Amino acid sequence: PDSLAPLAYKLRAYTVPLRNLGGCMSADNAWMILQGIETLSLRMERHCENALKVAEYLKDHEKIAWVRYPGLPDDSQYEKAQKYLKGKGGPMVVFGLKSNEPQTDGQTLVNSLQLFSHVANVGDCKSLVIHPASTTHSQLNEEQQRSAGVSPEMVRLSVGIESIEDIIADLEQSLKTIA
């Protein structure tokens, strides 16, 4: 009967994937997830330590106009980071380049980094970078970008767990490539 059609669909939606994919994950997948969960706190500690050092380094750099990192005492979100993040600022550091040509210099900076991977995602163990105005938000004009919180000089880092000396050295050599 037609009245049972919705139930029939629901039963099929539940049983076919269960039959085809199994009721539980494989032992290898379970082991990998468990390894990730067990080491997450150690990795986050390193992410946060590295990100704070990167933010402090960039804050004092002559080619940087501004730095946003909730772990810095003068950041507008510092109090919230203290309250909700146990004093940690997380792995994300956002900064603006001092530049007369921020679009070009942002792309140059990103392309000259060697340790950082140029990708749009965040939260990897390795350091990641993106210049949103020329990538993720490039379909928008400058006014639309600014209304979305993206300025031409903005660069976003997801700081990884590599050696902090290597991370800062890579940023330093890349900053030397812009005017």
Side-chain angles (χ1 to χ4, degrees):
D2 288 339
S3 63
L4 293 177
L7 179 59
Y9 176 77
K10 288 178 185 175
L11 287 172
R12 182 158 176 81
Y14 288 126
T15 58
V16 171
L18 184 63
R19 180 195 69 210
N20 293 343
L21 302 174
C24 63
M25 67 179 82
S26 72
D28 285 341
N29 288 348
W31 182 81
M32 286 188 277
I33 289 171
L34 186 58
Q35 292 301 302
I37 291 170
E38 288 176 342
T39 60
L40 179 61
S41 63
L42 296 172
R43 288 181 281 125
M44 284 310 299
E45 200 172 300
R46 181 72 172 260
H47 278 295
C48 294
E49 288 172 8
N50 283 353
L52 177 59
K53 290 176 184 171
V54 165
E56 290 169 341
Y57 163 77
L58 291 171
K59 190 173 188 247
D60 295 330
H61 200 283
E62 63 185 16
K63 293 184 180 180
I64 304 302
W66 52 267
V67 176
R68 286 292 323 274
Y69 181 68
L72 292 174
D74 61 346
D75 189 86
S76 65
Q77 300 302 308
Y78 179 76
E79 293 303 321
K80 289 179 185 171
Q82 297 303 301
K83 181 176 180 179
Y84 298 115
L85 302 176
K86 299 179 183 175
K88 306 289 185 188
M92 303 297 301
V93 178
V94 181
F95 64 94
L97 298 171
K98 279 185 191 171
S99 173
N100 293 326
E101 296 183 42
Q103 190 86 3
T104 303
D105 285 343
Q107 291 172 333
T108 300
L109 177 95
V110 168
N111 291 331
S112 64
L113 286 163
Q114 297 170 1
L115 178 69
F116 284 77
S117 296
H118 182 200
V119 294
N121 60 310
V122 297
D124 202 323
C125 283
K126 61 184 178 232
S127 293
L128 312 173
V129 62
I130 196 150
H131 179 248
S134 64
T135 55
T136 58
H137 292 70
S138 62
Q139 75 280 10
L140 304 175
N141 63 39
E142 187 175 337
E143 181 183 333
Q144 292 169 324
Q145 287 179 356
R146 287 189 185 279
S147 71
V150 174
S151 57
E153 75 277 6
M154 186 175 95
V155 176
R156 185 186 74 202
L157 304 177
S158 177
V159 181
I161 63 173
E162 305 93 344
S163 158
I164 189 59
E165 292 82 12
D166 292 343
I167 293 171
I168 289 177
D170 193 30
L171 288 167
E172 181 64 32
Q173 68 79 24
S174 184
L175 285 164
K176 288 179 182 175
T177 66
I178 61 173

